[in-house]
Amino acid sequence: MGFPYHFVTLNDEQDLRRRQLLDDYGQFAQFSVLLLPLMYQLCLGMRLLISRTWPFKPQTVKEHRSPVVSRFQQPATSYSTNLIARTRWFLDEEVLEGWNTRQEWLIAGLWAMWLLVLVFKDTGDDYLHLTKRFGIVAASQLPVHYLLAAKSWSPIQYLTRMSHEELNPYHRLFGRILIAFFSVHATMYLNFYIQMSLLLKRIQDRDVILGLSAITTFLLIGTTALARIRTWNYRVFFYLHVILSASLLPILFFHVSHLRLYIVESAAIYLLVILQRNVSQATADATIELIPSANLLVISIALTKPLSSKKYTPGQHIYLGFPSLPQKLRINPFSIANRDPHSDNKIKLVARALSGTTAMLVDCAANQKTTSLTLEGPYGAANYFPDLATYDRVLFVAGGVGATFTLPLYLDLLQRKAREERIPSPKLVWSVRQIADAQWGIKQLLEACDILPESFDAYVTQGDVDGQEPEPSARRPQSKSEAEVSDSIELQERDRLLSDSTSPEDATSRAAKTMRDGRPDFRTIVDEVFSFGSRERVAVLVCGPRGMGASVRREVTRWVWKGRDVFWHGEEFGW
């Protein structure tokens, strides 16, 4: 069977009809984007309706009475609710380690299939009609693609109740779909010019030159957005992404007139995104302290106007920059480490001093304790979390500086429990490499609770956390002999702290007396949290290396398949 599309000659009426179909399908493809958030809302409504009306699955297992007050007790979980929960958990798993989740691939795949239907519909056997359809359908998706890059003020976030961090994987996958469509569009046109012996003539025309420039820009955007490039140098990725995305719009605008409506929409969204980011930025004085023994930076930012007018909640993060540098050079996001910046009248950040851009903050800490920084945010998935106080059990797991995310949430529940006994008691498990890594968090716990809570467990691994590679450092590498001396000093310091009982307010001393050696046994910890009754709803929040998150999720998965209702949130970072 031969290729079903051919080079056809059209009269003026047929050519006008083709042009009308191209415009109609382009607009329909754009408006059909609204189906995604609407279908999401419909699924949420159907899930709620089914869970309330489907017959309950009979309970055959004797339940243990939960110590949590009865208002948190849920009715026996229905079979349909269990099925929905298991399906969602399965879809939320990564296809391969480091890849997108099954749900993200499924939605992107279904959307690509829908766009392909719109590409092939009513094209007959007209080769050029199919070629042009690939281009205009892809161009119609550009506005929503730029909108997915918005960190806030996005209607997509409000409709889906998903943060920028949760929508960003869809932004990347949809970008790959658009690159594929535009690549097919360009390849089919080049094939047409070669078959018709028009390549040497057309390659000198403005529309073809701009078209080739556009597809080259698309390929550069896709290549520099690969995970390997982002990990190698995030700053290179970020600036190339911004510059190439901006330069693409005028190239497409002057390429052909039929795309200009979509390009104007994309440009308006792009400008609004930039405006939003500039509006959310503010400059404030910051005090930077370096903890050499742990290679940690503790940054305290005074909460003055206009920062004080923003709402900060546990689990959020902000971006930092230097106002004296071009374009207020951004650094990677920092989680807000204190529970309530408004009552503390400051924002506290804790970060590992890496060999990249955070080394600039190390220089500031060494040369001058106070400097001006530009803040952008706050952002984060915590804005869309359910109320954790409505769960029967809440488990927080942190690795290293991942406690900057979990500790404020943990303290928030403890403070709320102190005011209202009906709130469940949360549990926090924290793994660090050395005692000094936990000093800032222990101090914060003691300031809030006077004594370390019984639900707080800390572990000193004296090495890697859950098998992760050692994190890069802003300091020079230690030789083998230096490392041995450092380990010896660390052990001596630990022994001294364990024997020191004359400083009850000393945070490090308290940490040394309560922290355990080795890695946490996540199976035992998870089983303990889930052992109080199958009707209890459990929330599990993890922030740490990828291996740690995978280990905890693996243990929680066993309970999800037993029918447990679990809210899961995992945040990852590279060491």
Side-chain angles (χ1 to χ4, degrees):
M1 181 182 294
F3 188 65
Y5 287 87
H6 311 283
F7 305 145
V8 299
T9 302
L10 304 180
N11 56 38
D12 292 342
E13 182 178 351
Q14 291 173 325
D15 188 62
L16 182 62
R17 171 62 178 167
R18 181 171 68 184
R19 180 74 264 155
Q20 185 64 45
L21 283 174
L22 287 169
D23 293 339
D24 290 345
Y25 275 95
Q27 294 174 11
F28 185 70
Q30 184 178 63
F31 285 118
S32 65
V33 174
L34 298 175
L35 293 174
L36 290 177
L38 292 177
M39 288 178 63
Y40 181 82
Q41 293 294 324
L42 179 62
C43 290
L44 290 180
M46 290 180 62
R47 179 192 173 202
L48 179 62
L49 180 63
I50 291 174
S51 65
R52 291 183 176 181
T53 59
W54 199 278
F56 289 143
K57 182 179 179 180
Q59 296 292 317
T60 59
V61 180
K62 183 178 179 180
E63 303 293 342
H64 297 282
R65 176 64 63 183
S66 170
V68 182
V69 178
S70 60
R71 83 178 181 95
F72 290 110
Q73 294 294 334
Q74 302 294 321
T77 307
S78 67
Y79 176 77
S80 61
T81 302
N82 288 342
L83 180 61
I84 293 173
R86 293 172 187 174
T87 303
R88 292 185 62 189
W89 187 267
F90 173 80
L91 292 176
D92 201 35
E93 296 277 0
E94 291 182 341
V95 176
L96 294 173
E97 185 176 346
W99 286 42
N100 294 80
T101 64
R102 294 186 180 100
Q103 175 178 295
E104 292 160 359
W105 280 107
L106 177 63
I107 293 176
L110 291 175
W111 190 245
M113 292 173 61
W114 168 247
L115 294 181
L116 284 174
V117 170
L118 298 182
V119 164
F120 284 93
K121 181 71 173 172
D122 293 334
T123 55
D125 63 347
D126 189 346
Y127 180 91
L128 281 182
H129 191 170
L130 181 65
T131 303
K132 295 172 184 286
R133 190 76 72 82
F134 266 106
I136 198 165
V137 168
S140 70
Q141 305 301 295
L142 285 174
V144 70
H145 185 61
Y146 278 81
L147 191 59
L148 283 171
K151 289 191 173 292
S152 62
W153 296 4
S154 170
I156 298 178
Q157 294 184 22
Y158 289 105
L159 287 172
T160 61
R161 303 295 298 169
M162 298 171 68
S163 67
H164 166 260
E165 291 76 19
E166 294 169 308
L167 289 173
N168 198 41
Y170 295 101
H171 172 73
R172 293 196 296 266
L173 287 175
F174 285 11
R176 295 171 190 172
I177 294 173
L178 297 188
I179 291 174
F181 276 49
F182 279 119
S183 297
V184 173
H185 170 76
T187 301
M188 292 183 70
Y189 251 125
L190 288 175
N191 177 63
F192 171 74
Y193 296 146
I194 292 173
Q195 295 293 330
M196 301 299 292
S197 301
L198 296 173
L199 182 61
L200 294 179
K201 174 182 179 299
R202 291 289 284 133
I203 201 137
Q204 302 178 51
D205 295 336
R206 187 191 69 174
D207 60 330
V208 176
I209 294 174
L210 291 174
L212 293 175
S213 300
I215 192 61
T216 303
T217 304
F218 270 117
L219 293 174
L220 284 174
I221 292 175
T223 302
T224 56
L226 294 174
R228 182 170 296 183
I229 302 296
R230 298 197 311 269
T231 304
W232 169 68
N233 194 317
Y234 184 85
R235 199 189 310 173
V236 169
F237 151 73
F238 176 76
Y239 283 113
L240 282 177
H241 209 69
V242 171
I243 294 171
L244 292 174
S245 298
S247 62
L248 180 65
L249 297 178
I251 294 175
L252 289 176
F253 183 86
F254 292 106
H255 173 49
V256 288
S257 61
H258 314 298
L259 306 181
R260 289 179 180 173
L261 173 63
Y262 309 121
I263 303 308
V264 170
E265 293 172 353
S266 302
I269 292 172
Y270 186 80
L271 292 175
L272 285 175
V273 170
I274 294 177
L275 175 63
Q276 172 266 318
R277 302 198 70 167
N278 287 330
V279 168
S280 64
Q281 290 180 352
T283 301
D285 292 332
T287 301
I288 305 175
E289 176 188 357
L290 176 64
I291 305 177
S293 58
N295 203 33
L296 290 177
L297 288 166
V298 180
I299 307 167
S300 299
I301 303 169
L303 202 62
T304 57
K305 290 185 177 181
L307 294 178
S308 58
S309 61
K310 299 182 180 182
K311 183 180 180 181
Y312 299 94
T313 58
Q316 292 179 325
H317 63 262
I318 60 175
Y319 286 89
L320 291 185
F322 293 93
S324 58
L325 295 179
Q327 298 186 14
K328 301 178 180 179
L329 177 64
R330 294 194 326 157
I331 303 179
N332 289 349
F334 291 128
S335 295
I336 299 174
N338 49 335
R339 184 188 72 86
D340 188 0
H342 295 284
S343 62
D344 297 340
N345 204 29
K346 66 178 180 181
I347 298 174
K348 183 178 181 180
L349 310 172
V350 180
R352 183 72 61 184
L354 304 177
S355 56
T357 50
T358 46
M360 302 171 68
L361 291 173
V362 174
D363 294 336
C364 290
N367 301 325
Q368 56 188 50
K369 297 296 183 182
T370 304
T371 187
S372 293
L373 294 176
T374 299
L375 284 73
E376 179 188 328
Y379 302 118
N383 297 332
Y384 301 101
F385 281 174
D387 185 2
L388 298 178
T390 62
Y391 285 82
D392 298 291
R393 306 280 165 183
V394 183
L395 172 63
F396 298 101
V397 180
V401 292
T404 56
F405 170 78
T406 58
L407 183 58
L409 292 165
Y410 173 72
L411 284 173
D412 183 62
L413 282 181
L414 288 180
Q415 294 290 328
R416 293 173 63 182
K417 181 175 176 59
R419 298 191 300 266
E420 184 182 354
E421 287 297 327
R422 293 182 177 181
I423 290 179
S425 181
K427 182 178 182 63
L428 172 60
V429 178
W430 187 10
S431 296
V432 293
R433 290 194 175 94
Q434 55 184 340
I435 298 173
D437 289 342
Q439 181 178 357
W440 66 271
I442 297 291
K443 181 179 179 182
Q444 194 163 312
L445 275 169
L446 293 175
E447 290 174 350
C449 306
D450 294 332
I451 61 173
L452 292 178
E454 294 182 0
S455 60
F456 169 73
D457 291 328
Y459 295 80
V460 180
T461 63
Q462 295 293 338
D464 61 342
V465 177
D466 202 54
Q468 299 303 298
E469 292 295 325
E471 53 192 303
S473 169
R475 301 175 295 177
R476 66 180 179 86
Q478 289 182 320
S479 65
K480 182 177 180 180
S481 60
E482 288 176 320
E484 292 174 350
V485 172
S486 177
D487 290 343
S488 176
I489 293 174
E490 174 69 21
L491 291 173
Q492 293 175 19
E493 179 68 7
R494 181 182 177 88
D495 292 339
R496 183 188 69 79
L497 291 170
L498 284 169
S499 61
D500 182 11
S501 59
T502 61
S503 304
E505 300 302 323
D506 186 83
T508 308
S509 178
R510 290 175 182 265
K513 294 175 182 179
T514 58
M515 297 177 76
R516 309 176 187 179
D517 290 323
R519 302 177 188 173
D521 183 351
F522 289 126
R523 168 160 291 205
T524 300
I525 292 170
V526 170
D527 288 351
E528 179 185 352
V529 171
F530 281 88
S531 65
F532 290 90
S534 63
R535 296 185 182 184
E536 288 192 345
R537 302 167 66 237
V538 180
V540 181
L541 297 93
V542 182
C543 185
R546 177 178 292 274
M548 170 177 282
S551 297
V552 178
R553 187 175 177 91
R554 192 161 47 244
E555 302 305 330
V556 175
T557 299
R558 296 185 297 110
W559 291 95
V560 172
W561 289 107
K562 292 178 182 180
R564 297 302 296 272
D565 184 1
V566 178
F567 168 75
W568 167 273
H569 178 79
E571 294 216 354
E572 298 171 351
F573 59 85
W575 282 88

